[in-house]
Amino acid sequence: AYYVQERTKGGRSYEKLDHYRNLDDLQERMSRWASVVLREDVDDMPELLMDQRTVLLPDAQQAQYETLLKELILELEDGGEVEAIEGGARIIKLQQLLGGWVIDADGNVRDLVTDEENPRLVGMLEDVQESDRKCIVWCKFREDIRRVVRALNKAGVKCVEYHGAIHSQSKRQEAIDSFNHDPAVKVFVGQPKAGGAGLDLSAADVILWYSHTFDLIERDQANERATQIGGKTVTIRDFVTPNSVDEDILANLESKRSVSESLAGRGLRDRLLALFRAQL
């Protein structure tokens, strides 16, 4: 990675990522030790259908979002240096507001809208109830999970939850088994960090991203939980509020995927093919 020196309005200097370099050299070194199998190269892998649900905020919630944005802009324009972890915390705060809640200065969760007025919850319930298939709902935050489970229970939709606060392995396995084998259990509500990798949730063929992770590997692993060789097509639906941090997170993930694909996905496969063909 190549960094350049930048300065804040307050005169403090910091390093900013400008671009990546020497990727061809890195790829060549990797190709000596690597093999690549792309998803489309695997026979009978089901298709992933990407979809999006637009989530419009009610006027009061939209006004609160814009107020928070203005506060954050003022903080940054004051010229203070922002560490990466602080920048992440600001984005997370915006994400939480989109979910209809915030954590106040005392560390308490404060509701911004009722469950009935929360457009994300309303959209999630509509998607679940309109589908005759089992669904996975991925939530970044435990507070989102609480709200999703509460709304599903109130609507009479049976669900299981899977997250970091469930420490018992037997209870985790019970949630997986109930989702996969009990026809009455329609929804698996989980955190991708806890359940996004390695779990067999192939009873589902709909995945709803209620709130988004920043981690590309976490995201891609979570998207594959419902797939199995010879299985059915899986619909993946992102909940997105226009002109919000949702769009930025998804665009950032796609940017990471482009670099990853060129370096270690199709790009590396093409280099290996060229290497092998040159030896014929």
Side-chain angles (χ1 to χ4, degrees), residues 23-244:
L23 292 185
D24 285 345
D25 180 53
L26 176 58
Q27 187 186 66
E28 192 277 328
R29 291 167 186 255
M30 290 169 59
S31 69
R32 303 173 196 173
W33 310 101
S35 60
V36 179
V37 179
L38 301 180
R39 194 179 194 281
E40 57 262 34
D41 296 334
V42 180
D43 290 339
D44 295 330
M45 278 295 283
E47 186 180 1
L48 299 179
L49 296 179
M50 307 307 295
D51 192 15
Q52 189 175 108
R53 171 181 269 275
T54 299
V55 180
L56 299 177
L57 302 182
D59 291 343
Q61 192 177 354
Q62 180 67 39
Q64 289 169 314
Y65 187 88
E66 291 174 3
T67 297
L68 178 56
L69 271 181
K70 291 173 184 175
E71 291 174 0
L72 297 178
I73 289 169
L74 283 175
E75 285 180 22
L76 295 174
E77 286 183 340
D78 279 344
E81 189 172 349
V82 179
E83 299 291 338
I85 191 168
E86 294 173 345
R90 286 167 167 81
I91 294 174
I92 285 172
K93 196 168 184 179
L94 289 169
Q95 269 192 291
Q96 293 169 345
L97 197 149
L98 291 176
W101 56 278
V102 291
I103 298 177
D104 63 24
D106 298 321
N108 300 315
V109 175
R110 183 165 61 86
D111 291 336
L112 300 177
V113 290
T114 66
D115 286 357
E116 292 72 23
E117 296 172 324
N118 188 326
R120 226 158 253 251
L121 282 179
V122 171
M124 181 276 301
L125 280 175
E126 287 178 356
D127 283 350
V128 167
Q129 292 174 323
E130 289 173 2
S131 174
D132 57 358
R133 303 176 292 174
K134 291 201 175 195
C135 306
I136 299 170
V137 180
W138 290 124
C139 302
K140 178 178 175 60
F141 306 106
R142 282 283 316 284
E143 186 60 33
D144 282 342
I145 289 178
R146 276 191 281 270
R147 289 160 190 269
V148 167
V149 169
R150 185 170 67 202
L152 289 169
N153 287 337
K154 187 173 181 180
V157 179
K158 194 168 182 180
C159 65
V160 295
E161 51 186 295
Y162 193 109
H163 46 74
I166 300 176
H167 302 296
S168 167
Q169 189 56 43
S170 62
K171 288 187 176 180
R172 289 188 172 201
Q173 190 59 49
E174 182 182 344
I176 296 168
D177 293 342
S178 295
F179 179 69
N180 280 329
H181 304 299
D182 184 348
V185 177
K186 188 173 184 182
V187 183
F188 180 99
V189 187
Q191 277 181 308
K193 199 171 193 66
L199 300 187
D200 175 10
L201 303 173
S202 53
D205 40 17
V206 176
I207 294 175
L208 306 178
W209 279 96
Y210 185 88
S211 47
H212 305 290
T213 176
F214 303 145
D215 190 315
L216 177 61
I217 294 176
E218 215 170 73
R219 159 93 179 189
D220 286 347
Q221 286 287 320
N223 281 345
E224 294 291 352
R225 290 314 92 215
T227 60
Q228 61 178 341
I229 299 296
K232 68 282 180 190
T233 297
V234 177
T235 298
I236 298 170
R237 181 167 297 135
D238 289 305
F239 283 36
V240 178
T241 295
N243 301 314
S244 78

